[in-house]
Amino acid sequence: MADDAGEANGADKTAARAARRERKRDQSREEILQAARRVLFRHGIGAMTLDAVANEVGMSKTGLYYYFPSKDALVFELVHGVIEAQAKAVQQGVSRASDGGGALRAIIGETVTAFAPRLDDFRLAFLFGQVAGAGALTWDRDQFERIRPLNDLLFAKATEMLVAERGERDPRAAVEPRLLAFLAYLSAIGLLTMKGMVEPMDDPLIYSDEQLVEGLARVFEAAAAPGGDC
């Protein structure tokens, strides 16, 4: 019995040490990501090197490699984190919708709400690759496989609701349901792109975010509504 108790105690201590190491690793990883964000937003894309990030976080470049093997891997984690958080917000908003039109409204509203006060995050997620230029970043197949499930968070529930509402009468817009959900998302991305273009030049849009979201939402709600009698 004593041996059994000793073995159990030893296993508990080993598990506790492993948990502490994992927490420390997660903390260090998050500190590196935050340092990379600071370097990126302070100095721009060209200045975001692993050396600069290592200096910012206060570790050696060799130590940084333990967590991220390349600049591409580091940037991917930044982008993935932003998109994942926004996709989860959209998913929660859609889950509260009562119909397909409401789901489309939620896609638009939650996307704008997530990014409008944090346009740096929006630029990182959606414009970084364009600004960096062709070949500046390379993501592998495994990384793309991690991005694709986020599309389901964004579109799957809305698509399901739109499909369920289709009966003998097609909606006003004869557009495939998932495409309609994607177009609603695309409209929100376009709104944010325009907002990000004009506000730094001190030339804001004449319409508020609320007006723009409401206008787009009404357009897509109308598109999802049943068409008239033939």
Side-chain angles (χ1 to χ4, degrees):
M1 293 293 292
D3 288 343
D4 291 343
E7 289 177 3
N9 187 45
D12 289 342
K13 289 181 178 179
T14 299
R17 285 194 296 269
R20 285 195 298 272
R21 286 195 298 269
E22 187 64 23
R23 286 195 297 271
K24 186 175 185 303
R25 187 179 187 280
D26 289 343
Q27 180 180 358
S28 297
R29 188 176 180 277
E30 184 59 30
E31 288 173 354
I32 292 169
L33 289 171
Q34 292 305 315
R37 286 172 58 87
R38 292 194 297 272
V39 171
L40 175 63
F41 295 144
R42 187 190 308 144
H43 300 298
I45 296 167
M48 188 189 160
T49 63
L50 291 184
D51 284 322
V53 174
N55 289 335
E56 179 74 18
V57 79
M59 68 168 53
S60 69
K61 189 175 179 181
T62 301
L64 189 65
Y65 276 127
Y66 173 74
Y67 297 93
F68 300 99
S70 67
K71 175 180 174 178
D72 287 353
L74 181 52
V75 171
F76 173 82
E77 293 302 330
L78 287 174
V79 172
H80 184 275
V82 169
I83 297 176
E84 182 180 41
Q86 183 261 334
K88 287 180 178 178
V90 168
Q91 183 189 43
Q92 291 173 3
V94 170
S95 71
R96 296 190 292 268
S98 59
D99 56 25
L104 298 176
R105 173 183 283 271
I107 289 174
I108 297 166
E110 293 294 340
T111 300
V112 175
T113 298
F115 284 127
R118 293 180 290 276
L119 285 175
D120 280 340
D121 280 347
F122 173 74
R123 295 184 184 100
L124 172 63
F126 293 95
L127 303 178
F128 188 94
Q130 297 179 38
V131 176
L137 293 172
T138 303
W139 291 349
D140 60 31
R141 183 174 181 178
D142 289 341
Q143 289 169 322
F144 279 113
E145 289 299 321
R146 287 181 58 197
I147 288 287
R148 289 191 178 95
L150 301 183
N151 291 331
D152 285 335
L153 291 181
L154 290 165
F155 308 128
K157 183 61 177 178
T159 301
E160 178 185 325
M161 295 172 74
L162 291 166
V163 169
E165 292 171 4
R166 291 197 170 199
E168 295 181 359
R169 297 168 62 192
D170 288 333
R172 287 193 178 96
V175 177
E176 186 269 324
R178 190 176 178 96
L179 175 57
L180 191 59
F182 175 71
L183 291 173
Y185 184 63
L186 194 61
S187 74
I189 299 302
L191 187 164
L192 290 161
T193 300
M194 181 62 70
K195 182 180 175 71
M197 287 172 57
V198 300
E199 289 190 355
M201 296 184 289
D202 197 26
D203 184 27
L205 299 171
I206 64 173
Y207 301 105
S208 68
D209 292 349
E210 292 76 15
Q211 288 174 306
L212 293 167
V213 167
E214 181 63 24
L216 288 172
R218 290 188 181 187
V219 169
F220 280 92
E221 284 175 334
D229 295 331
C230 296

